[in-house]
Amino acid sequence: EVQLVESGGGLVKPGGSLRLSCAASGFTFSSYSMNWVRQAPGKGLEWVSSISSSSSYIYYADSVKGRFTISRDNAKNSLYLQMNSLRAEDTAVYYCARLQYDFDYWGQGTLVTVSS
Amino acid sequence: QSVLTQPPSVSAAPGQKVTISCSGSSSNIGNNYVSWYQQLPGTAPKLLIYENNKRPSGIPDRFSGSKSGTSATLGITGLQTGDEADYYCGTWDSSLSAGRVFGGGTKLTVL
């Protein structure tokens, strides 16, 4: 069974940093591109970042470019999102999602709250 | 403001049919596959439709998708109370650094 479990969310002050993790199981993690998608409270979905299976290709939404860094460790079946210079508008539930023909599996999400 | 435009809400009675529209442009829907996601309250999104009209394993054929030009439509027949959820369309955008784009979401109410 495919499972994606996010962790690392929490309360952080504006300008602070946080590192999210996504632990994958039930599939060959190293064969799939992975993504982060976020959802602000009461709002819609916003794609954040994408990383290819071997980390050769990395993409970011303009809203996070230069502040967030996506990475992965295929040996540990894990995906990461390093978030720096956090702003109030980064407050959201962050989901990791596997990309096969589409975002076919999603984690349960981890809440990031940026507030003083 | 979302790149893809969806109606904020739709409603219908149990057993009826409903459609949800998703409008975009040539840089996204016009030249890419469209997907649809269902998000039940308090849960993560779930893939319903991919590549315009394909259903993942386990998704009932009450759910269907279509695309024409720069618009796409999700159809749900035989509505059930358990279908009450938010529905999102999504696709890739070919414009500079646009990446993956989603609609603003449509709240389905089964009356």
Side-chain angles (χ1 to χ4, degrees):
Chain A
E1 178 194 6
V2 172
Q3 282 200 323
L4 298 170
V5 180
E6 301 93 337
S7 61
L11 176 62
V12 61
K13 289 182 169 55
S17 298
L18 213 54
R19 189 194 196 207
L20 305 184
S21 299
C22 171
S25 61
F27 66 102
T28 305
F29 180 73
S30 60
S31 297
Y32 293 86
S33 293
M34 296 295 295
N35 290 260
W36 289 99
V37 178
R38 68 184 180 183
Q39 186 171 33
K43 302 296 184 182
L45 302 172
E46 180 188 16
W47 170 77
V48 172
S49 183
S50 175
I51 185 168
S52 63
S53 57
S54 60
S55 304
S56 298
Y57 301 96
I58 288 176
Y59 305 96
Y60 298 99
D62 286 345
S63 58
V64 306
K65 200 171 293 182
R67 301 187 299 122
F68 290 12
T69 302
I70 191 172
S71 63
R72 64 190 295 163
D73 185 335
N74 287 342
K76 294 183 177 180
N77 291 339
S78 294
L79 173 72
Y80 306 102
L81 186 67
Q82 177 66 43
M83 304 186 295
N84 299 330
S85 303
L86 283 163
R87 307 166 180 167
E89 54 265 36
D90 295 319
T91 294
V93 173
Y94 286 73
Y95 298 100
C96 64
R98 187 180 84 166
L99 177 62
Q100 187 178 204
Y101 37 78
D102 202 273
F103 293 4
D104 60 345
Y105 284 94
W106 298 61
Q108 85 290 347
T110 187
L111 176 62
V112 172
T113 303
V114 183
S115 174
S116 55
Chain B
Q1 194 80 348
S2 301
V3 173
L4 306 179
T5 301
Q6 298 180 233
S9 64
V10 296
S11 61
Q16 297 299 304
K17 174 182 178 179
V18 71
T19 60
I20 298 173
S21 61
C22 176
S23 178
S25 68
S26 58
S27 68
N28 42 66
I29 291 178
N31 284 285
N32 292 286
Y33 287 126
V34 176
S35 303
W36 290 92
Y37 306 88
Q38 176 193 61
Q39 188 175 32
L40 297 169
T43 69
K46 174 184 176 181
L47 181 64
L48 276 184
I49 298 288
Y50 68 99
E51 293 182 3
N52 301 333
N53 55 19
K54 297 178 181 177
R55 285 176 285 105
S57 174
I59 301 299
D61 58 7
R62 300 189 299 108
F63 296 91
S64 63
S66 64
K67 185 186 112 168
S68 178
T70 59
S71 294
T73 301
L74 173 70
I76 311 173
T77 60
L79 277 172
Q80 302 172 2
T81 56
D83 295 332
E84 278 209 349
D86 293 322
Y87 292 84
Y88 295 89
C89 57
T91 187
W92 297 99
D93 195 301
S94 309
S95 59
L96 188 64
S97 72
R100 184 74 174 183
V101 292
F102 295 96
T106 298
K107 170 66 177 175
L108 168 63
T109 300
V110 181
L111 302 168

